[in-house]
Structure formats: structure tokens, C-alpha cells
Amino acid sequence: MRKINERADQGAQRRRWPILESPQPRSERHQPRPNLLRRRAWHILEAPTAEQPAVDAGEALGPQPPDDATVNFVLDLALRIGEVQMSSGAGASDVTATIIALAAALGLPHCEVDVIFTSITVTCHRGTDLAPVTALRVVRSRSLDYTRLTETEMLVRKIVRGHMGAEEAYTELRRVTTAKHPYPRWVATVAWGGLAAFVALLLGGGPDIAAVAFVISSVIDRLGRYLNRFNLPFFFQQVVGGLVATLSAMVIVSSGILTTDKPTLVVAAAVTVLLSGLSTVSAVQDAITGYYVTAAGRTMETALMSAGLITGVVFALKLARMFQLSGKPLLEVTTTTLRYLPVVVIGGAGAAACFALASYSTLRALLVAAAAGAIGTFVYGGLILLHFQAVSASAIAATLVGFCGGVLSRRLKVTPLVVAVSGITPLLPGLSTYRGLYQLGVEPGGNISTLMTAVAVGLALAAGVVLGEYLAQPVRTGLGRLERKFAGPRMAGPMEPSDRWLE
């Protein structure tokens, strides 16, 4: 009986871990341990001798984490951080690597993470004596607040580097997640309108067309804000947005206010705004990195939102044709000239900055996003002047945006995801999408090739960003660290490798 009590006291003493305090540095935290499996196997085959002392039968094999309350506390903290990343559009591979790094930094030696589109599951293995602990958190809401994402990533870096304990981190995370948006809601509305105005200029429109696009997109944003009060699904909000954008543009053009008799540019600018919030980049990243369930969920969401937009635009075109609001709604695609290239670059920078502002980015992230948008549109316009196809030009420009964002964003303390999504926003195929929808829904014997080209451009932009981030990792982390060089594209979370390999 005394031996049993002594072993119980030793087990309780062994499982105590100062995990709620600031973790120790890596050099002090990891000491070499004897290979207990090899020692126990030796005693199975051979009798104990003086050269090989006997192994205590009460000594546990495998990891020795702290008590249940501490394990649950750390898992809850890691899950909440993963939820913030997932709801902000981070890839499943980023969320997985972040949770594993947090668990290792806070004393949980071996955790398995399963991320799907709507939930995150983490299991902590606790050796041979104790049962594993599993925690799950459902990702219910999704919103674009890049300031919250950036502050969460800074918190993760402090934890991983050993500058903050679990209790302090939990308090800081609660402050970040419950804080209000850094800007008033009307600032985001103005930013969405500014995005439409800059896109109209980028497509070749004049100041009057840009002004009308600004007003229409601002009205659509306020209308969506109003519909949110009734919990209207986002699919129907996309239907309403496409309907209002197309029909109002045709009514304004038919009234003779604008200098053009074709509403294509106004509608294309509004369609680009409605396409900008879709998670195409994250879906492609998840598919490339092997998280196919999450990629399928994101792809389904993108397809459903696009279907809502298509429904609204086609319905508005039918109404316009019925009431003869505009006889020639289509506008021929204008080619970029060398003289007009500076205007395209300014429009791209302004559009990227407006998207970052509408997503509640910090001022530093806004400036970096503007630079990324300028680089992307400059490369795209230059390649079009060299007679490249739209798909290949979009892929190359997006790759350069992802590469520059991956190399410079972390040095400037900006999340690469913010730079990537904002940088490719001016290149979204709003004009091609509208032309394809008109040809498919209004013209007799509709042609689907234009719409398929728009889909190909969108996929090329997303894949190019992921490729650029992948190519940036050797430059950012050092050519000699192969385990980090080929870890996969990372757009959020810590870059320091965890102490165990990701199988």
C-alpha cells in the first residue's frame, strides 16, 4: 500500500508543469531523455544485470503533459486562435501549423489537428497512462477584419517565442476578439465605393462613370448591411446586389446622364466589388496543400455566392431587355496602351488600398496592399502590351504579388494574406464575368466561353498567389533550412518551425 501511494505521488509530481506561466526558452525546455522503450525491450529479452539497471515499473512511457484542467485550458486557447484565423480566410494548413506550434510552446508535447471548413478538432496525446484529450470548436461566423487577424498573429508570435504565458495570452485574445472595428462602418462603405470607382478608372472609364460606380456600390453595401439585420442568407444578398447593380446602371445610362450609352463599365465595377469578398485564394491554397475537404467547402461557398451574383445580373438583364432600357449594353474590351499604363497602375493601387480599408486593415497594411496592387496591375498591363493572354498574364502578375508579399510583409509586420488578397483584387475578372453573363443570358444561342475565361482568370490569380508565397519561403527563411523551405505556402501563423515534424 505504501508503494502504491508513493507511485501516485510521483505521478502527480511528474505531471506538474508551469504551463500557465511564461514558457521557458527552447534550450532550457528540451533536455535529452533516456529511450525508455529500448530499456524496457532490453529487460524483456535479458534479465537485469549490473550493466543495465532495472526499470521502475511505475515509470510512464511517452509524453508527460500537465493535469487535465491545464490541458483543457491550453487546447481552448489554441482553438480560439485557430477560429480567428479560419474565420478571416486563412488556409487550413496555416491553422494546423499555428495550433501545433502553440501547443508545443505551451507544454503539450504531441497534438493532432483536424481542420475542416466549419470546425477544428485537436487531440492531445498523454502517453500510456492517461487517455487522450480531444477538444472541438465550430467556426460559425466569417468576417473580413484584417486588424483582428494581424493582432492575433502577433499574439501567436509572442507565445511561440516564449514571451507570454497561457493565462496572459487568453486575456489578450479576449481583448482582440471583443474589440470593435478600428474604423466606423461608414468608412467601410466609402471604401467599397472607392474600390468600384478605381476599378471603373482601371477599365477605361471617365470621372463621371467612376462617380456613378462609387454611388451604386456604396448603396449596395448599405443595403447588404440592412438585410443582415434580418439574417438573410448571403446567397440572396448576392442576388440583390447583382440585381441592383445591373438594373440601376442601365437606368442611369438610359437617362443620358453619363457620357457613354453603355453601362458595361459601371456594372463591371460593381461586379468586381461583389466578387472581391469570395475566398478563392484560400480554396486554392487548401487544395494545393492537401486539405481537400476544406477546399471543397470553400469552393462550394464560392460557387454558391457566384451563382447568386449570376442570378441577380441575369434577372436584371432580362428586365432591362423587357423594358428596353438599353439597346447595346455591351462594350468592347479596350486594350491597354503604353500611355494609359500609369492610369492603370494608379487605379490598381487605389483599388487594393480601398479593399484593405474596407476589410479594416491597419494603415501600414493599407500602404503595403496599395504597393502590391500597383505591382500587380503594372505587370499585368505590361504583359498585355506584349500580347500575353489574360489567363497567363493574370497568373504571372499574381505570382509576383504573392512573392513580394511573402518576402516583405512579415518584415513590415503585415499578414501575407492581407497583401495577397488585396493585391489581386484589381485583377478580378469583373468585366469578363459581366460579358459572359450577358452573352449567356440575353443573346440568343449564348456562348459560355467568355464566362469560362473569367473562371480561368480567377483560378489563375489564386494559384499564382499561392505559388508566389511558396517561392518566397526560401528567400525569407534561408536556403539551407530544407524542412522549412518545403513546408508549403504559409499566409498566416508563425514561421518558426515546431519541435516536431508535421507528418
Side-chain angles (χ1 to χ4, degrees):
M1 189 67 182
R2 181 181 301 175
K3 292 183 178 180
I4 296 176
N5 294 333
E6 290 178 356
R7 291 176 182 176
D9 294 338
Q10 291 175 1
Q13 182 69 24
R14 185 177 61 249
R15 287 191 293 270
R16 292 194 185 99
W17 194 284
I19 194 171
L20 300 182
E21 302 174 359
S22 297
Q24 301 173 2
R26 294 179 183 270
S27 58
E28 301 178 6
R29 197 166 63 223
H30 298 282
Q31 300 294 337
R33 298 178 57 200
N35 194 327
L36 300 179
L37 290 176
R38 182 177 300 175
R39 289 171 56 188
R40 183 158 293 180
W42 172 272
H43 283 277
I44 292 175
L45 298 177
E46 299 287 344
T49 64
E51 298 179 357
Q52 184 69 28
V55 179
D56 185 7
E59 188 172 8
L61 298 179
Q64 300 175 8
D67 56 275
D68 291 348
T70 305
V71 171
N72 292 328
F73 186 86
V74 173
L75 290 183
D76 183 68
L77 173 63
L79 283 172
R80 289 179 182 274
I81 292 177
E83 181 189 13
V84 173
Q85 291 184 324
M86 197 72 181
S87 62
S88 300
S93 59
D94 298 337
V95 177
T96 301
T98 300
I99 293 177
I100 290 177
L102 287 172
L106 293 175
L108 303 187
H110 190 88
C111 291
E112 296 293 344
V113 183
D114 182 31
V115 178
I116 60 175
F117 185 53
T118 56
S119 66
I120 306 172
T121 305
V122 182
T123 299
C124 175
H125 296 281
R126 304 190 294 171
T128 57
D129 287 353
L130 300 175
V133 177
T134 301
L136 180 144
R137 190 165 186 86
V138 177
V139 183
R140 293 183 174 86
S141 62
R142 302 182 187 276
S143 61
L144 289 177
D145 190 338
Y146 286 151
T147 296
R148 181 177 300 169
L149 178 63
T150 302
E151 292 183 355
T152 303
E153 182 165 348
M154 294 175 63
L155 174 62
V156 170
R157 293 180 185 178
K158 292 180 181 178
I159 298 174
V160 172
R161 293 173 182 176
H163 299 158
M164 184 177 293
E167 289 186 346
E168 186 180 358
Y170 197 93
T171 303
E172 179 67 15
L173 178 64
R174 183 175 180 83
R175 183 197 64 80
V176 171
T177 54
T178 57
K180 295 182 178 180
H181 294 305
Y183 312 116
R185 189 63 182 85
W186 63 266
V187 174
T189 300
V190 172
W192 289 121
L195 172 59
F198 280 111
V199 170
L201 293 177
L202 193 149
L203 295 176
D208 54 346
I209 297 177
V212 172
F214 175 88
V215 173
I216 291 178
S217 293
S218 300
V219 170
I220 292 174
D221 179 72
R222 298 310 302 179
L223 181 61
R225 181 74 172 175
Y226 177 75
L227 295 177
N228 278 334
R229 299 179 181 177
F230 302 97
N231 295 324
L232 184 68
F234 194 65
F235 172 82
F236 298 106
Q237 294 187 31
Q238 287 287 91
V239 174
V240 173
L243 175 65
V244 172
T246 307
L247 199 59
S248 58
M250 289 189 172
V251 170
I252 293 175
V253 169
S254 300
S255 63
I257 299 177
L258 300 180
T259 57
T260 179
D261 58 347
K262 301 180 182 65
T264 306
L265 294 180
V266 180
V267 180
V271 168
T272 302
V273 173
L274 294 174
L275 290 174
S276 60
L278 303 181
S279 56
T280 308
V281 174
S282 301
V284 174
Q285 181 188 3
D286 290 338
I288 291 176
T289 53
Y291 292 84
Y292 301 114
V293 176
T294 308
R298 293 187 191 272
T299 303
M300 185 62 190
E301 182 189 48
T302 302
L304 189 62
M305 298 305 103
S306 301
L309 178 61
I310 291 172
T311 303
V313 172
V314 171
F315 184 59
L317 290 174
K318 293 290 187 179
L319 292 178
R321 190 178 182 89
M322 182 184 302
F323 293 103
Q324 298 181 352
L325 294 178
S326 180
K328 298 179 180 180
L330 280 184
L331 181 68
E332 295 297 327
V333 179
T334 57
T335 57
T336 303
T337 61
L338 187 60
R339 177 180 298 180
Y340 194 71
L341 187 59
V343 179
V344 172
V345 173
I346 294 174
C354 286
F355 177 81
L357 181 61
S359 303
Y360 302 105
S361 298
T362 60
L363 179 60
R364 179 181 299 178
L366 190 148
L367 297 176
V368 177
I375 293 173
T377 51
F378 176 78
V379 174
Y380 177 83
L383 293 176
I384 293 297
L385 288 177
L386 297 176
H387 305 289
F388 276 68
Q389 296 295 327
V391 176
S392 58
S394 300
I396 296 173
T399 302
L400 186 59
V401 169
F403 179 81
C404 295
V407 172
L408 300 177
S409 58
R410 293 186 185 273
R411 292 184 176 272
L412 299 175
K413 296 182 180 180
V414 178
T415 306
L417 181 65
V418 180
V419 181
V421 178
S422 302
I424 66 172
T425 296
L427 304 178
L428 291 175
L431 181 58
S432 299
T433 301
Y434 174 69
R435 288 178 59 84
L437 293 178
Y438 181 84
Q439 294 173 357
L440 186 64
V442 177
E443 292 181 352
N447 187 6
I448 200 174
S449 60
T450 305
L451 188 59
M452 290 296 98
T453 301
V455 174
V457 169
L459 294 177
L461 289 173
V465 165
V466 176
L467 177 61
E469 173 65 22
Y470 177 80
L471 296 176
Q473 286 198 13
V475 178
R476 182 177 57 213
T477 61
L479 295 175
R481 304 299 296 274
L482 295 180
E483 72 276 12
R484 296 169 67 184
K485 176 181 177 182
F486 297 109
R490 297 288 305 281
M491 294 189 183
M495 290 308 302
E496 292 83 357
S498 60
D499 295 319
R500 76 177 184 91
W501 289 78
L502 301 181
E503 294 86 3

